[in-house]
Amino acid sequence: MRIPVSLDRKVFFGTNTKEPLELDDQGKSKEINLLSSRRVHMRAFHLAWLGFFSAFTGWFAITALISSIKADTGISDAQAATSDITNVASTVIFRFFIGPLVDYFGARRVMALVLTLGSIPLVLVGLVNSGTGLIVSRFFVGLLGAAFVPCQYWTQSMFSDSVIGSANAVTAGWGNMGAGFTYLVMPQFYNMFSAAGVSAHNAWRATLAIPAFFCITVGMLCLSFGDDKPIKGHGTDQEQPATNAHAVDKDSTVVENKPDTASVSSTESTGHKGHSVGVLGFLRLAINPSVLILMLMYACSFGVELCVDSKLGTYLTKHFTRPDCVVGPGETCTYISQSSAGLIGSTFGLMNLFSRAAGGILSDWAASRYSTTAGALGARMVVQMVLLLCNGAALIAFSFINEIQPAIAVLVIFSLLTEATCGSTYAIVPFVDPLRRGTVSGLVGAGGNIGGAIFNVIFAALAANPDKGFLIMGCVVFVSSVFVLLLKIQGVWGWAGFSAVFRRRAAEAA
């Protein structure tokens, strides 16, 4: 039985997990069975999001425990804030470098490398006793945030263009939930160690070892059980024989000539045959106008998400107060407590379970309605523009609301739109340069972190009026939608893609 998730039924929950998936002529899957872990496509799919999820637990683990760390070490609020900025900013640098690496070495090896190396400074944070030590340590912990790049490259290597938006969005969305999961779970591990008699001095240090161990474990799973690219063939995928792909001769691959047979060919590698980008190639992509525009759009989606994650709890408790309230001993004028605000804030991240996927699925569905390249890309761009316009409008509306009930309603709307725009952005990214998808993914992903840093600076400058911060952020997102018209992907301009879409709509109406 198949329970469809997308309108075209290409993404579904299939109870028959052994049912083969339909493949294209490159061996990439044209379907996504979310309940399956069959090799190679669905196993890579689940390892991709699990790798990113584990990276997020490590990346945000210190933030979840920062109050305990400050109380034990005497680190100031300013030093802690600087370490937060460093943690996000360093990820920008690491994403730039990780992109070319996945193009050359493949997602499997790079994912394992990022998770393993990133866990080392996370454990070493336990040796920190000063603000400087925390800042330096968190710079290197930021490597974990770069796991997003091999996550997205892996799905782009395994799934056909017809479902690539859905595959990218679901894996990234589920991976992003690691942040919300960390905020909920890490304090509980700390409490568990404290209840067991571990001192406060050692409890937070022991707690940080848990996500580090999780990252290393998942990294080894990716390296041992994942595949870098599909088994080439036609028709449907077949479960590969028990021999692991990495035990096969490095110059061999399994090729499917028929649905029920498999043979070993010595022409290609089951590993990754890399594309070297080079410094000049990297710079050309870094100044490519379409890449820069997509970086802007990801800054206006994932950057917004990063900023809201850090500011929402405080905003809800301080901005929405009961009118004519006089603060007395032990009393506050807020509608909601700090803990309730924190729960709402974590929910913003946990909505990635479905909201980011919605953007990718919507983009794939819109593209599937057109047989031409211009029409399909144009449809994706229309989805992108509409989501950015609506999200900007919702953020602007949120900035003017002073009552908690309508604010929560609008918060849910712009949360859905923000995360859906992340998904629709990466439904376009794979088409910019098919041979250097890793580099493009890294550059666009870095744009999200840059946006988060810029928006955080804006909020810091408007600390006394955070509602203006939401207003400025909403205006930037709204205006960024216009740049969709200036995208040029595979020779198709954004405005020309729109024209192809609207011509078909007019023809159908006639």
Side-chain angles (χ1 to χ4, degrees), residues 50-318:
L50 184 60
F52 189 33
F53 182 94
S54 66
F56 254 55
T57 62
W59 193 22
F60 285 92
I62 297 172
T63 304
L65 298 173
I66 195 65
S67 297
S68 300
I69 295 173
K70 289 191 296 183
D72 177 55
T73 60
I75 292 172
S76 67
D77 290 340
Q79 290 171 323
T82 302
S83 75
D84 283 336
I85 295 172
T86 302
N87 191 41
V88 174
S90 67
T91 299
V92 175
I93 300 172
F94 289 124
R95 286 186 176 185
F96 281 147
F97 286 104
I98 292 298
L101 287 180
V102 296
D103 276 327
Y104 191 78
F105 293 106
R108 177 178 61 90
R109 296 179 181 88
V110 176
M111 178 68 85
L113 180 68
V114 167
L115 294 176
T116 303
L117 292 183
S119 65
I120 296 173
L122 181 59
V123 172
L124 293 178
V125 172
L127 303 177
V128 165
N129 288 299
S130 66
T132 302
L134 181 64
I135 292 169
V136 172
S137 298
R138 296 196 72 182
F139 176 89
F140 292 102
V141 171
L143 173 61
L144 289 171
F148 171 75
V149 181
C151 168
Q152 295 294 270
Y153 185 87
W154 214 344
T155 50
Q156 292 172 37
S157 300
M158 289 291 178
F159 292 91
S160 180
D161 289 348
S162 61
V163 293
I164 191 60
S166 303
N168 276 350
V170 175
T171 51
W174 289 5
N176 274 354
M177 288 194 302
F181 177 81
T182 301
Y183 284 123
L184 292 176
V185 172
M186 290 300 287
Q188 306 310 316
F189 281 121
Y190 176 85
N191 294 336
M192 180 184 71
F193 283 118
S194 297
V198 179
S199 66
H201 177 75
N202 292 320
W204 67 266
R205 291 173 166 85
T207 302
L208 288 179
I210 295 175
F213 177 76
F214 183 34
C215 287
I216 293 173
T217 301
V218 174
M220 294 303 100
L221 288 175
C222 292
L223 190 63
S224 301
F225 297 104
D227 294 274
D228 282 305
K229 65 180 184 179
I231 300 169
K232 287 194 174 181
H234 304 272
T236 59
D237 70 326
Q238 286 293 114
E239 191 74 63
Q240 190 159 330
T243 304
N244 187 283
H246 315 300
V248 178
D249 186 281
K250 68 178 183 179
D251 294 324
S252 301
T253 186
V254 174
V255 178
E256 295 176 320
N257 299 312
K258 299 178 182 179
D260 58 347
T261 63
S263 60
V264 177
S265 168
S266 59
T267 58
E268 296 186 61
S269 170
T270 51
H272 183 79
K273 187 176 181 179
H275 297 281
S276 179
V277 177
V279 176
L280 291 179
F282 177 85
L283 291 176
R284 279 195 292 268
L285 284 173
I287 62 174
N288 182 307
S290 292
V291 173
L292 292 173
I293 290 172
L294 287 168
M295 289 177 69
L296 169 65
M297 292 175 181
Y298 204 54
C300 291
S301 49
F302 185 65
V304 170
E305 182 178 348
L306 283 177
C307 181
V308 173
D309 277 338
S310 63
K311 303 298 181 184
L312 185 58
T314 302
Y315 185 77
L316 291 175
T317 55
K318 292 187 175 181

Side-chain angles (χ1 to χ4, degrees), residues 10-29:
K10 294 294 185 180
V11 184
F12 57 92
F13 291 99
T15 55
N16 182 6
T17 58
K18 294 184 178 181
E19 180 182 1
L21 298 175
E22 183 183 357
L23 306 182
D24 64 14
D25 58 1
Q26 294 180 320
K28 295 183 178 182
S29 178

Side-chain angles (χ1 to χ4, degrees), residues 20-39:
L21 298 175
E22 183 183 357
L23 306 182
D24 64 14
D25 58 1
Q26 294 180 320
K28 295 183 178 182
S29 178
K30 299 165 68 174
E31 299 175 311
I32 302 174
N33 181 359
L34 297 173
L35 294 183
S36 173
S37 59
R38 279 172 58 90
R39 192 176 176 207

Side-chain angles (χ1 to χ4, degrees), residues 340-412:
S340 297
L343 180 61
I344 294 173
S346 66
T347 302
F348 181 83
L350 293 172
M351 286 174 66
N352 275 293
L353 175 65
F354 59 89
S355 55
R356 182 162 181 152
I361 290 172
L362 180 61
S363 182
D364 283 343
W365 172 78
S368 70
R369 296 170 62 82
Y370 297 86
S371 58
T372 65
T373 299
L377 288 174
R380 292 185 187 276
M381 294 178 192
V382 169
V383 170
Q384 182 77 353
M385 189 174 203
V386 170
L387 288 175
L388 284 167
L389 281 170
C390 294
N391 193 30
L395 283 164
I396 292 171
F398 183 76
S399 71
F400 288 104
I401 298 175
N402 295 312
E403 298 293 331
I404 188 65
Q405 291 85 357
I408 295 297
V410 176
L411 169 64
V412 172

